[in-house]
């Protein structure tokens, strides 16, 4: 009977020593291998965070400009200005033919004016004159503005013949979708 008790105590002591060793090694300062593994995991997490931030920056860079396109102010060309101003003018002019349309908004006008400070363009003075007048909500010469841009584009069809009144403009906006 004493042998059973002694062997039981030895078994119990063995189990307790095993549990103790497990607790010591899992809660104690880390082994060099475990520390290296954690450093690698931290580095991988940091790299993933950097990649996520880069992806976010890329998405922001790809965010559309006020015209719904990816081009930035620094990318703007004479052709872009002619296209944007010409299509915006369609909101306010009478013409037999109109191809394309962008609604005139303060955001778009400001964005284009800001772009004129960042790029050198052949017809910059023409664009600035039109956009600054439009920014002041002066559309009294919008038909002339349209035709000036239309001529720069080599237009042959769709010359503006006048300015829409408020009701005509509203009807145009209702029936025309932006590009």
């Amino acid at each position: 009977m004493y042998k059973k008790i002694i062997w039981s105590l030895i078994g119990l002591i063995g189990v307790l020593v095993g549990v103790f060793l497990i607790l010591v090694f899992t809660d104690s300062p880390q082994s060099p291998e475990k520390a290296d593994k954690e450093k690698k995991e931290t580095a991988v997490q940091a790299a993933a965070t950097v990649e996520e931030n880069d992806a976010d920056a890329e998405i922001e860079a790809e965010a559309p400009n006020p015209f719904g396109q990816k081009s930035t102010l620094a990318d703007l060309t004479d052709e872009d200005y002619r296209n944007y101003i010409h299509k915006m003018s369609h909101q306010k002019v009478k013409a037999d033919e109109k191809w394309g349309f962008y609604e005139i908004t303060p955001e778009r006008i400001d964005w284009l004016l800001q772009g004129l400070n960042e790029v050198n363009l052949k017809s910059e003075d023409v664009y600035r004159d039109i956009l600054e007048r439009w920014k002041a909500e002066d559309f009294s010469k919008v038909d002339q503005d349209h035709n000036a841009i239309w001529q720069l584009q080599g237009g042959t069809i769709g010359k503006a013949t006048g300015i829409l009144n408020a009701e005509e403009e509203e009807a145009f906006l209702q029936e025309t979708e932006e590009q």
Side-chain angles (χ1 to χ4, degrees), residues 23-76:
L23 291 174
V24 167
F25 283 110
T26 57
D27 289 340
S28 70
Q30 299 171 348
S31 65
E33 297 91 23
K34 196 169 187 179
D36 285 345
K37 183 178 176 183
E38 276 196 18
K39 283 182 186 176
K40 287 178 186 175
E41 287 175 2
T42 302
V44 167
Q45 288 173 345
T49 301
V50 167
E51 285 178 20
E52 285 176 16
N53 290 341
D54 286 347
D56 290 344
E58 235 176 80
I59 288 169
E60 285 178 22
E62 292 177 11
N65 66 33
F67 294 91
Q69 299 175 346
K70 291 182 182 179
S71 59
T72 64
L73 289 173
D75 298 330
L76 291 175

Side-chain angles (χ1 to χ4, degrees), residues 12-26:
L12 181 62
I13 291 173
V15 168
L16 290 174
V17 169
V19 169
F20 176 77
L21 290 175
I22 290 172
L23 291 174
V24 167
F25 283 110
T26 57

Side-chain angles (χ1 to χ4, degrees), residues 81 112-120 124 128:
Y81 272 87
L112 289 171
L113 282 168
Q114 184 181 352
L116 290 175
N117 297 325
E118 295 193 22
V119 294
N120 293 318
E124 178 178 334
R128 188 176 303 278

Side-chain angles (χ1 to χ4, degrees), residues 112-163:
L112 289 171
L113 282 168
Q114 184 181 352
L116 290 175
N117 297 325
E118 295 193 22
V119 294
N120 293 318
L121 302 170
K122 188 175 180 180
S123 301
E124 178 178 334
D125 293 339
V126 174
Y127 311 141
R128 188 176 303 278
D129 179 54
I130 292 169
L131 292 167
E132 285 178 351
R133 216 171 334 96
W134 290 7
K135 182 176 176 74
E137 297 186 23
D138 177 1
F139 298 101
S140 61
K141 296 182 359 178
V142 71
D143 54 343
Q144 295 169 31
D145 298 336
H146 171 278
N147 290 341
I149 299 298
W150 177 78
Q151 286 178 331
L152 288 171
Q153 293 176 313
T156 57
I157 299 172
K159 184 175 183 177
T161 57
I163 300 173

Side-chain angles (χ1 to χ4, degrees), residues 72-138:
T72 64
L73 289 173
D75 298 330
L76 291 175
T77 64
D78 275 282
E79 185 179 337
D80 293 324
Y81 272 87
R82 291 172 188 163
N83 181 46
Y84 292 145
I85 293 171
H86 183 212
K87 290 180 180 178
M88 285 194 299
S89 72
H90 285 167
Q91 174 178 333
K92 299 212 175 258
V93 299
K94 293 179 183 179
D96 292 334
E97 296 286 336
K98 296 181 186 181
W99 293 292
F101 164 66
Y102 288 117
E103 185 173 353
I104 298 172
T105 66
E107 178 186 22
R108 288 175 171 164
I109 293 170
D110 289 341
W111 188 77
L112 289 171
L113 282 168
Q114 184 181 352
L116 290 175
N117 297 325
E118 295 193 22
V119 294
N120 293 318
L121 302 170
K122 188 175 180 180
S123 301
E124 178 178 334
D125 293 339
V126 174
Y127 311 141
R128 188 176 303 278
D129 179 54
I130 292 169
L131 292 167
E132 285 178 351
R133 216 171 334 96
W134 290 7
K135 182 176 176 74
E137 297 186 23
D138 177 1

